[in-house]
Amino acid sequence: MDCLYGRSPEKKRLYQDWRRVSNHGHLSKPLLQVVLRLLLLKEPKTMHFLYKKLFSSSAIVLFSLIAFVLFCNTNAVIKPPGNATIPAIIAFGDSIMDTGNNNYIETVAKCNFPPYGRDFVGGKPTGRWSNGKAPTDLIAEELGIKELVPPYLDPNLQLEDLKTGVCFASGGTGYDPLTPILASVISLPDQLQMFKEYIGKLNATVGAEQTNFILANSLFFLVAGSNDIANTYYLSHVREIMYDISSYTDLMIKFASKFIKELQDLGARRIGVFSAPPLGCIPSQRTAAGGLQRNCAEKYNRASLLFNSKLNTTIDSLNKNLPDSRIVYVDVYNPVLDIIENPQNYGFHVADRGCCGTGDIEVAVLCKLTPTTCVNASDYIFWDSYHPTEAVYRTLFSQHLQKYINSFF
């Protein structure tokens, strides 16, 4: 039932009700008839009311199957314009997109242990930095490509995985070459090397013509910059003693531009580049720099905005110089900030801390060492002190993804 998780306020309630039924009891036979009718009519609001009144186990399996059929299809929710084809989703960058590559390298930046993956299929921790799916998965799902995008380093990759997309991202990396060194993770240049290897595998299995088609028509996504600003610049101070924030964001832009050009040289034509989020409002930065009240740390937000402005300008310039490509700036700063400032408008209740532990500072292994998590992650904007819940990702994509998909064509 992972597919019900957080997709809309109604389906979020349905998901919550399903979990209560699964965990606590039964549906009576008389109520079963009503539930089946409501399922067929797709009336989750009324079902939510009924579940508060009565539970019984006689219909758990049947309810699950029916709900799966009605709500968990793999058809595309987001349609590309015209008859356009999107054969694959390919992701680069940091922990926002990482679907488990860090599982296979020597680093402390891992999350392949509980409570991560608590709401993933089977409650399995997979190396995704969330309670459930990663944005990489959700984009592929919304486009009807596949349910999950595997990490490229997964030793069990199949040919179909290569044809429909893989993830090269590594949690903890950044545009600044120093950032992945500090975290002992996969740098963006190394991710490109892995991509070259991937192209070689495609050529060997489907041929040059099909490989070129996949590269030219797939969607590529790049998410990075947060670790540069939050960790390499402000937390470690390694770069802060060398650069002011303006010159440091120039450095970031230099390497971001270089990566995009090299990716384009390798055959990518539709590239989406995510902005930095409002870093000062994530729980860990509130704790570190938000004062006793844990307000949003404005210097972090200003740094994000400065970087985003430069990134947007750079992408405009790249589009002029690379006319056969569509490079799309994806603004996540403003929609995420709106969710944080107005959580009730989106069905969330907790905006200033994560679900894991106290929610103030825990991330990665600190979540593993924390004995408690919140009861219902879909009430929270953040899963740990750094990463959003799957419900937030679904909210963002349901409202904004179609607009950006159209920009690639």
Side-chain angles (χ1 to χ4, degrees), residues 18-323:
W18 175 82
R19 286 186 64 112
R20 292 188 189 104
V21 171
S22 300
N23 292 334
H24 300 296
H26 302 273
L27 281 173
S28 67
K29 289 183 179 178
L31 185 58
L32 173 59
Q33 295 179 349
V34 178
V35 169
L36 294 179
R37 181 175 296 276
L38 290 169
L39 272 168
L40 291 171
L41 293 173
K42 299 187 181 181
E43 292 287 349
K45 288 183 180 178
T46 311
M47 289 169 60
H48 177 63
F49 170 78
L50 289 172
Y51 290 148
K52 287 186 174 180
K53 303 298 182 184
L54 185 60
F55 293 115
S56 165
S57 84
S58 60
I60 289 175
V61 174
L62 184 56
F63 168 70
S64 301
L65 289 173
I66 294 173
F68 181 84
V69 170
L70 289 174
F71 294 100
C72 304
N73 59 76
T74 56
N75 294 329
V77 177
I78 303 297
K79 302 281 189 181
N83 296 318
T85 298
I86 303 175
I89 296 296
I90 299 173
F92 299 89
D94 60 24
S95 56
I96 298 300
M97 289 305 209
D98 186 4
T99 57
N101 282 308
N102 281 14
N103 298 351
Y104 306 100
I105 63 174
E106 291 295 325
T107 178
V108 296
K110 292 180 185 286
C111 59
N112 56 340
F113 41 74
Y116 288 92
R118 189 185 75 179
D119 298 300
F120 193 76
V121 179
K124 179 183 178 182
T126 61
R128 289 166 170 83
W129 297 81
S130 176
N131 60 307
K133 290 184 175 181
T136 321
D137 304 312
L138 299 178
I139 295 171
E141 176 191 311
E142 292 290 315
L143 291 169
I145 296 172
K146 57 185 176 182
E147 286 290 323
L148 301 172
V149 178
Y152 178 70
L153 294 181
D154 184 345
N156 298 313
L157 273 184
Q158 303 297 313
L159 171 59
E160 193 60 30
D161 295 322
L162 298 177
K163 290 166 59 179
T164 54
V166 293
C167 174
F168 298 95
S170 176
T173 202
Y175 292 120
D176 181 351
L178 182 58
T179 299
I181 294 174
L182 294 176
S184 297
V185 295
I186 306 169
S187 69
L188 286 173
D190 285 343
Q191 291 180 33
L192 274 183
Q193 287 301 122
M194 291 159 56
F195 180 56
K196 291 176 184 177
E197 182 181 276
Y198 160 84
I199 294 172
K201 291 179 181 179
L202 271 183
N203 268 315
T205 53
V206 302
E209 182 177 350
Q210 182 66 10
T211 296
N212 291 337
F213 176 83
I214 292 172
L215 296 180
N217 292 281
S218 296
L219 295 188
F220 294 76
F221 289 97
L222 171 62
V223 180
S226 295
N227 295 307
D228 299 319
I229 295 171
N231 298 333
T232 308
Y233 191 78
Y234 284 121
L235 181 63
S236 74
H237 305 293
V238 175
R239 291 298 199 190
E240 194 173 13
I241 62 177
M242 303 166 63
Y243 301 91
D244 60 25
I245 192 60
S246 180
S247 57
Y248 184 64
T249 51
D250 287 341
L251 179 77
M252 292 169 61
I253 291 298
K254 170 187 170 183
F255 287 107
S257 179
K258 183 175 184 290
F259 180 91
I260 295 168
K261 289 176 183 176
E262 291 178 351
L263 185 59
Q264 199 268 352
D265 287 342
L266 291 170
R269 292 295 179 267
R270 299 170 179 169
I271 305 170
V273 185
F274 281 50
S275 74
L279 283 170
C281 295
I282 67 175
S284 59
Q285 307 314 316
R286 287 175 180 265
T287 302
L292 293 177
Q293 300 301 315
R294 298 185 65 253
N295 297 315
C296 292
E298 288 308 318
K299 71 174 181 179
Y300 288 77
N301 283 352
R302 287 194 296 270
S304 291
L305 287 171
L306 180 61
F307 169 74
N308 291 344
S309 175
K310 294 176 180 180
L311 181 64
N312 198 2
T313 300
T314 298
I315 288 174
D316 285 342
S317 176
L318 288 171
N319 277 317
K320 292 174 184 176
N321 294 317
L322 303 171

Side-chain angles (χ1 to χ4, degrees), residues 78 139 142 221 274 328-339 346 392-408:
I78 303 297
I139 295 171
E142 292 290 315
F221 289 97
F274 281 50
V328 177
Y329 173 81
V330 181
D331 173 31
V332 297
Y333 184 99
N334 289 296
V336 170
L337 184 63
D338 191 54
I339 292 174
Y346 300 90
V392 167
Y393 292 136
R394 286 196 181 275
T395 298
L396 288 170
F397 292 145
S398 67
Q399 297 190 11
H400 301 286
L401 186 58
Q402 181 71 69
K403 174 184 70 174
Y404 287 112
I405 294 300
N406 293 341
S407 300
F408 289 103

